[in-house]
Amino acid sequence: MNIKLVVVGKLKEKYFKAGIDEYSKRLSRFCKFRIIEVPDEKAPESLSESEMQDVMDKEGTRILDKIADKEYVYALAILGKERASEEFAKEIDKLATYGHSDITFVIGGSLGLAPKVLKRADTQISFGRFTLPHQLMRLVLTEQIYRAFMINEGSPYHK
């Protein structure tokens, strides 16, 4: 199984990188896991609605360039469906069982995801209505993917 994160922007904080590296290493026994960073669009602090749409559109094009047609795509979106860890684990297991061996998760930039990215997604997932820094979300998502594999394995890690 191949699991990929397509994310906007670079990971800056060393402590996030260390956590993600640890979970990536743990995930290596279950899947090929990788993170692809696409550049964020530089923008001033205050943007008009059309400028915001332009920024999201440019970032969206960069994201879509990294996704193949055969990939099953989860878009992280505040309005997406919330799942319990066990439910998420069952989804991952079911996808693998029914021929979706390439799964991609997308984390947008500070303005969110362009409509064209949400349209391409097979499903939207939410980790709640909190706004979290995108770098922290990478760590949380990576841990939850690892947790899903551990649940599916019947490991006590989840408890």
Side-chain angles (χ1 to χ4, degrees), residues 52-70:
M52 282 193 259
Q53 292 301 321
D54 188 49
V55 167
M56 287 193 306
D57 188 60
K58 288 177 180 171
E59 290 175 347
T61 298
R62 293 178 191 140
I63 290 167
L64 292 174
D65 285 346
K66 303 298 180 189
I67 300 172
D69 288 344
K70 67 178 181 166

Side-chain angles (χ1 to χ4, degrees), residues 66-133:
K66 303 298 180 189
I67 300 172
D69 288 344
K70 67 178 181 166
E71 295 172 24
Y72 188 91
V73 178
Y74 281 88
L76 273 71
I78 288 175
L79 298 177
K81 181 182 178 220
E82 291 183 42
R83 294 152 170 89
S85 294
E86 296 84 357
E87 183 183 359
F88 180 59
K90 282 181 191 165
E91 266 184 55
I92 297 293
D93 190 49
K94 198 171 176 182
L95 287 169
T97 301
Y98 293 102
H100 292 286
S101 59
D102 296 299
I103 301 172
T104 297
F105 294 86
V106 178
I107 302 175
S110 60
L111 298 176
L113 289 169
K116 63 186 176 185
V117 176
L118 295 173
K119 186 176 180 211
R120 167 58 184 90
D122 294 286
T123 190
Q124 293 180 28
I125 188 170
S126 174
F127 283 76
R129 295 181 57 200
F130 286 112
T131 300
L132 297 173

Side-chain angles (χ1 to χ4, degrees), residues 1-59:
M1 172 176 272
N2 298 302
I3 295 185
K4 174 171 71 177
L5 272 58
V6 178
V7 298
V8 174
K10 292 245 180 253
L11 190 60
K12 295 174 182 101
E13 282 83 359
K14 288 181 180 149
Y15 51 92
F16 287 141
K17 188 164 176 24
I20 291 167
D21 287 348
E22 176 61 29
Y23 286 112
S24 297
K25 186 172 70 178
R26 292 180 188 189
L27 275 166
S28 68
R29 65 184 257 236
F30 300 109
C31 65
K32 181 180 176 196
F33 180 79
R34 62 193 175 118
I35 298 174
I36 297 174
E37 295 177 336
V38 299
D40 54 344
E41 188 65 20
K42 301 298 175 221
E45 284 295 315
S46 58
L47 296 173
S48 70
E49 186 63 35
S50 67
E51 289 172 321
M52 282 193 259
Q53 292 301 321
D54 188 49
V55 167
M56 287 193 306
D57 188 60
K58 288 177 180 171
E59 290 175 347

